[in-house]
Amino acid sequence: MKASGFVHGDPPALDRAGRAFLVLAASDCELARKAVRHWMADASELGRDAASLYDPTPGRAAEAVAALRAGSRILVAGPAAEAMAYTAAARQAGALPCELITYVTSTVTLTVFCPHCETTQRADARPGDRISCAGCGISLEIRPHLSSHHGTYLGAVA
């Protein structure tokens, strides 16, 4: 399992090197809630401190990340657009890639960044698809490049 990766399929295991855990359900989706319950039980079995937040705002999640101590691990679960927003908030709050795992429960809606006008928009699309930018109207091809800093896929002028 790669740290700071976006994981699909089954929820990833806890990083056993973590001294404490912050576990975030990035939506009200049942798969995200199930992953959070699983991770909280695993942390308890390891005898580690763990806190969970169910569907907080990205700002509240960032506050919780900023309060963590060194050695903590952050796990995010939810649909792609929401999970990516929480991941970006955690990174902006100081989380390092090695401290963060994002479990994506659904990829129906993605968030795409337009490098032409710097608009970020949600789209029911996949990497390789073309969409019109909501900001400037140009045609964008959604690239597979995923930014954990911004929580978006990159749109390239098509």
Side-chain angles (χ1 to χ4, degrees):
M1 170 179 50
K2 179 182 173 191
S4 81
F6 290 85
V7 180
H8 302 267
D10 293 327
L14 288 180
D15 176 357
R16 298 178 75 79
R19 297 172 65 193
F21 298 93
L22 174 61
V23 182
L24 305 168
S27 80
D28 195 26
C29 127
E30 181 53 33
L31 287 175
R33 290 178 169 278
K34 184 177 178 181
V36 168
R37 290 189 300 267
H38 174 77
W39 289 329
M40 292 299 290
D42 286 354
S44 178
E45 285 181 20
L46 290 173
R48 307 280 169 55
D49 289 334
S52 61
L53 294 173
Y54 289 87
D55 204 17
T57 63
R60 173 65 188 106
E63 289 172 4
V65 168
L68 294 174
R69 293 185 172 168
S72 296
R73 301 293 185 261
I74 302 123
L75 295 103
V76 178
E82 291 83 357
M84 291 166 57
Y86 282 64
T87 299
R91 293 294 307 274
Q92 291 168 7
L96 300 173
C98 62
E99 298 171 327
L100 185 60
I101 296 291
T102 304
Y103 169 53
V104 176
T105 61
S106 168
T107 58
V108 173
T109 303
L110 303 178
T111 308
V112 182
F113 175 78
C114 175
H116 184 258
C117 71
E118 299 184 357
T119 293
T120 298
Q121 71 184 59
R122 288 181 178 221
D124 291 343
R126 301 271 130 311
D129 290 351
R130 290 183 182 211
I131 62 170
S132 291
C133 175
C136 64
I138 66 170
S139 179
L140 296 173
E141 179 181 341
I142 302 172
R143 305 298 301 155
H145 175 78
L146 180 59
S147 169
S148 63
H149 278 300
H150 300 289
T152 64
Y153 281 89
L154 177 64
V157 177

